[in-house]
Amino acid sequence: MIFPGNASPRGRHAGAYDPSTSLTRRTVRFFLVLVLMIALAWPFVEPFLLQTEHTTLTAADLPASIGQLRIVYASDIHKGGIFGDKRVASLVSHINACNADIVLFGGDYAVDIDGAIEFFQTMPRIHSRYGVYAVLGNHDRTVPESKLTTLRSAMQNAGVMPLINAVTQVRIGMSSITIVGIDDADNGRPDMKGVASQVRAEDYVIFLSHNPKVIPDALKLQDMNGREGWFDLGLFGHTHGGQVAFLGAFLKNDGVPDEYTQGWFRQNRAHMLVSRGVGTSGLPVRLFCMPQIHLITVNTAK
């Protein structure tokens, strides 16, 4: 006797193998494993994805005869480990492709002063119409102090002018701009007040400092005419933008105010940039914080 409740379609039995269901489960598992592998690998891939950020600014102090100034800025290269000679050559190619009027470096070229010396001794030539200028970072100002002279020479031989508490006038046609650089705020002897007092109110001034923690004090200083807001463009590095999103705020102990971790700011009429940098420090990883150089186009205010 067959009871109605026990009836089943011909050829189908409870618990029978269903190939379509098994295939679906295998596919889901495959994609979950693939997503997990990508998530684990991505922080090690991101450091290689160098971006060029394009920014356009207007400046009242930029002489009308100059009209437009193309600036390339790069910071925190940290040569060593996975950042070898080939990546340095690739970085220089990126910089040269920008067709810059001026190239500026923000410090931390390697892991110590010996590495910084080697960086400039082997770096391919950088092309710029009006020169290459650079400050030093905390990794470039390691002991012994006696090697600072060797580092300066290596930079100059590479066509790079070191700016260590220095002010330089860059002649462009019939006019000029001023570039100011200070020593590293942690391991050096910065003299921000001394350089600020050497610039004039009418100058277009670019201020270079590796560490952005100097910004609050810099904004309080005055030029030789007693005017605050003594610089027009401030360029900084050091933070790597946090390097690892979500964790950067918990790992930072650099004394940099949170508002100056990365990006552009406008205070006391000055445009200021804290770059995410090119290389990495500590573990060779980045997460949602891609490496970058900057092409900054400054136009004269009309």
Side-chain angles (χ1 to χ4, degrees):
M1 178 180 296
I2 299 176
F3 296 96
N6 292 334
S8 61
R10 181 177 298 219
R12 296 288 299 275
H13 301 281
Y17 173 72
D18 187 341
S20 63
T21 301
S22 178
L23 178 61
T24 299
R25 289 174 179 171
R26 289 200 304 270
T27 301
V28 170
R29 280 197 291 265
F30 171 78
F31 280 107
L32 288 175
V33 171
L34 181 62
V35 169
L36 179 62
M37 291 176 62
I38 292 173
L40 293 174
W42 182 254
F44 296 91
V45 173
E46 192 168 306
F48 293 87
L49 305 180
L50 181 64
Q51 299 178 327
T52 301
E53 181 195 67
H54 297 255
T55 305
T56 301
L57 307 174
T58 300
D61 285 346
L62 185 68
S65 62
I66 295 177
Q68 185 178 89
L69 188 65
R70 291 171 62 88
I71 302 166
V72 169
Y73 177 64
S75 185
D76 296 275
I77 296 163
H78 289 282
K79 182 183 178 184
I82 65 170
F83 207 115
D85 290 332
K86 288 185 178 180
R87 288 187 67 186
V88 172
S90 176
L91 170 64
V92 172
S93 294
H94 274 83
I95 291 172
N96 288 340
C98 291
N99 195 28
D101 294 317
I102 293 172
V103 173
L104 304 174
F105 280 133
D108 274 6
Y109 305 102
V111 296
D112 55 25
I113 194 167
D114 290 313
I117 292 168
E118 192 269 342
F119 171 83
F120 286 105
Q121 288 175 337
T122 60
M123 180 186 72
R125 205 72 175 183
I126 293 177
H127 306 305
S128 174
R129 291 184 182 87
Y130 304 109
V132 185
Y133 307 85
V135 292
L136 302 183
N138 54 298
H139 285 272
D140 311 313
R141 294 290 276 122
T142 55
V143 294
E145 182 78 8
S146 59
K147 290 192 176 182
L148 181 59
T149 299
T150 305
L151 176 56
R152 285 178 183 264
S153 296
M155 296 171 76
Q156 292 166 344
N157 291 337
V160 179
M161 177 181 286
L163 296 176
I164 306 173
N165 298 325
V167 178
T168 186
Q169 296 285 328
V170 181
R171 191 74 178 175
I172 301 177
M174 299 298 294
S175 303
S176 65
I177 66 168
T178 302
I179 304 177
V180 172
I182 62 170
D183 203 355
D184 179 66
D186 288 330
N187 295 340
R189 301 180 181 87
D191 182 13
M192 205 160 39
K193 184 176 180 179
V195 296
S197 65
Q198 297 179 53
V199 304
R200 302 173 302 175
E202 63 269 24
D203 292 338
Y204 180 76
V205 180
I206 301 174
F207 171 44
L208 296 178
S209 169
H210 174 69
N211 197 322
K213 77 177 183 181
V214 305
I215 292 176
D217 290 332
L219 294 173
K220 299 174 185 176
L221 296 176
Q222 298 177 342
D223 59 25
M224 66 169 56
N225 304 105
R227 183 189 69 166
E228 291 185 356
W230 57 276
F231 63 95
D232 299 270
L233 175 62
L235 301 175
F236 311 89
H238 185 62
T239 66
H240 299 201
Q243 191 166 307
V244 178
F246 312 124
L247 295 179
F250 298 100
L251 298 176
K252 73 188 297 290
N253 61 351
D254 51 16
V256 178
D258 291 342
E259 61 265 34
Y260 300 133
T261 298
Q262 67 168 302
W264 283 95
F265 317 92
R266 184 77 184 271
Q267 291 178 268
N268 283 21
R269 82 181 187 83
H271 294 96
M272 292 181 288
L273 166 69
V274 179
S275 175
R276 295 196 299 265
V278 176
T280 57
S281 182
L283 290 175
V285 297
R286 283 179 176 268
L287 182 61
F288 307 130
C289 191
M290 288 188 180
Q292 60 184 179
I293 63 173
H294 307 267
L295 174 56
I296 305 165
T297 302
V298 185
N299 295 312
T300 301
K302 296 180 180 179

